[in-house]
Amino acid sequence: MKYTLCVLLCSAFFVHNVYSLQGGTTVTLGTHPSHALVLVEQVPHGGTIVNINHVVTSCRIVLTANNELRPVAQFAIRAGGITFTEGTANTVTAIFPHPEFNPWTFNNDVAVANNFAFNFNVANPPIAPAVLNERVFGEQTDCFVVGFNAPTVAVPNPPLLQLVQPVLNRATGCNAATVHNGRVLESMLCGGVLGANSGICPSTIGGGLYCFGNFTGIATSGTGCGAANSPGIYTQVRHHVQWINNQLTRTQIPAAGPTHPPGVIVSAAVIATVAHTLLICLAFLITIQCLFNAIF
Ligand SMILES: *[C@@H]1O[C@H](CO)[C@@H](O)[C@H](O)[C@H]1NC(C)=O
């Protein structure tokens, strides 16, 4: 029993730590010029270059488990390479998490990092801004997610990989009880396969999903590293084009520290309203009852 548990734990550890994109294939330099490596305290994640000094990524990597915005000094952004050491390293000057990011449902999982400017005017390293996709694509459209094949910088020279992620039907494919069980919201899309050995891992979070070459999704969850029934879940870029564009001209730098998840505020408000309503009803019923008793 103990032995079995150990083997299971070890294999889980192995699967989750070796691959960043289970089943992905290597790419040549310049294939994904918008992909950025976003290091958070040296832990690799993904991002997408959208203009000369902004990268779109996930709130899940810019906030701590306690929903605190991480200080900019914890980040480094690298772009233009197909290995960790290639390309240019950039420091981050500001992080803008979506103010309505919900850390329980991952709704509105989009953040923008403002960094030291990229140089688009040189052939090498090849860096270019992504085109934000505003179209709705049907299921089974071929899309690629991009990410480095390593969970830590300790892995020597990990390559950049891409993985085909066909968009699946949200209702019948992804939200089935055995798959993501309703967790894929309307603002998200789901891509990949239901079978094993192909899928995204935690280090893919924040990385871009490109459909017909255009920036369509931000990897947010479904990071089962190729486990069966764990297709990738992506924030749909088209739902946030306006918000992303608004961040590109922001100059006020959000302070590191506590953020206020809307889920908490909304549910507290809802609970208060419901409780208040119930109390009023109860008082009303008691009054009616008293009157009724007094009359008859
Ligand atoms: C991708 O973006 C380009 C540039 O805006 C556009 O011309 C093209 O139609 C887009 N492709 C799709 C499939 O939406």
Side-chain angles (χ1 to χ4, degrees):
M1 177 63 202
K2 271 184 197 159
Y3 179 70
T4 314
L5 196 63
C6 177
V7 169
L8 279 176
L9 281 176
C10 290
S11 54
F13 186 83
F14 181 81
V15 168
H16 285 271
N17 282 275
V18 174
Y19 299 103
S20 148
L21 273 183
Q22 174 83 337
T25 54
T26 54
V27 295
T28 54
L29 194 66
T31 308
H32 295 292
S34 310
H35 184 263
L37 169 66
V38 179
L39 293 168
V40 184
E41 290 196 295
Q42 298 299 301
V43 177
H45 292 287
T48 304
I49 299 166
V50 290
N51 79 354
I52 192 115
N53 56 355
H54 290 86
V55 165
V56 170
T57 186
S58 158
C59 285
R60 296 192 60 200
I61 66 166
V62 305
L63 303 178
T64 66
N66 298 323
N67 301 309
E68 299 201 350
L69 181 62
R70 293 174 177 278
V72 289
Q74 289 186 3
F75 298 90
I77 291 180
R78 212 167 240 288
I82 52 172
T83 70
F84 267 26
T85 48
E86 288 175 341
T88 57
N90 296 266
T91 53
V92 170
T93 49
I95 298 277
F96 308 115
H98 195 292
E100 278 137 63
F101 167 61
N102 185 315
W104 296 279
T105 63
F106 302 151
N107 199 19
N108 299 313
D109 186 12
V110 51
V112 170
N114 185 193
N115 57 287
F116 189 77
F118 295 116
N119 188 353
F120 294 149
N121 299 320
V122 291
N124 212 342
I127 302 175
V131 173
L132 274 56
N133 174 48
E134 303 198 30
R135 291 195 195 174
V136 182
F137 292 133
E139 58 191 278
Q140 296 303 339
T141 298
D142 273 359
C143 303
F144 289 96
V145 63
V146 184
F148 277 94
N149 184 21
T152 71
V153 283
V155 175
N157 218 22
L160 187 64
L161 301 181
Q162 66 177 21
L163 176 68
V164 177
Q165 296 275 273
V167 174
L168 301 172
N169 183 287
R170 211 165 56 86
T172 58
C174 287
N175 271 333
T178 51
V179 187
H180 290 308
N181 196 17
R183 285 192 295 275
V184 186
L185 307 178
E186 231 176 280
S187 58
M188 304 172 178
L189 63 80
C190 173
V193 296
L194 300 186
N197 302 320
S198 167
I200 61 175
C201 296
S203 59
T204 317
I205 293 175
L209 179 78
Y210 300 89
C211 297
F212 295 113
N214 292 350
F215 179 35
T216 304
I218 304 157
T220 175
S221 61
T223 53
C225 274
N229 290 321
S230 185
I233 303 178
Y234 300 87
T235 302
Q236 292 203 51
V237 169
R238 67 183 180 90
H239 280 248
H240 297 288
V241 170
Q242 181 77 58
W243 185 82
I244 291 170
N245 285 332
N246 287 345
Q247 308 316 301
L248 307 184
T249 52
R250 263 179 84 173
T251 49
Q252 158 269 333
I253 298 177
T259 59
H260 305 285
V264 174
I265 296 159
V266 168
S267 50
V270 167
I271 289 167
T273 310
V274 169
H276 191 222
T277 312
L278 285 176
L279 276 177
I280 290 171
C281 289
L282 195 63
F284 182 74
L285 285 176
I286 289 169
T287 312
I288 296 283
Q289 177 78 39
C290 290
L291 283 176
F292 190 83
N293 287 346
I295 295 167
F296 301 100

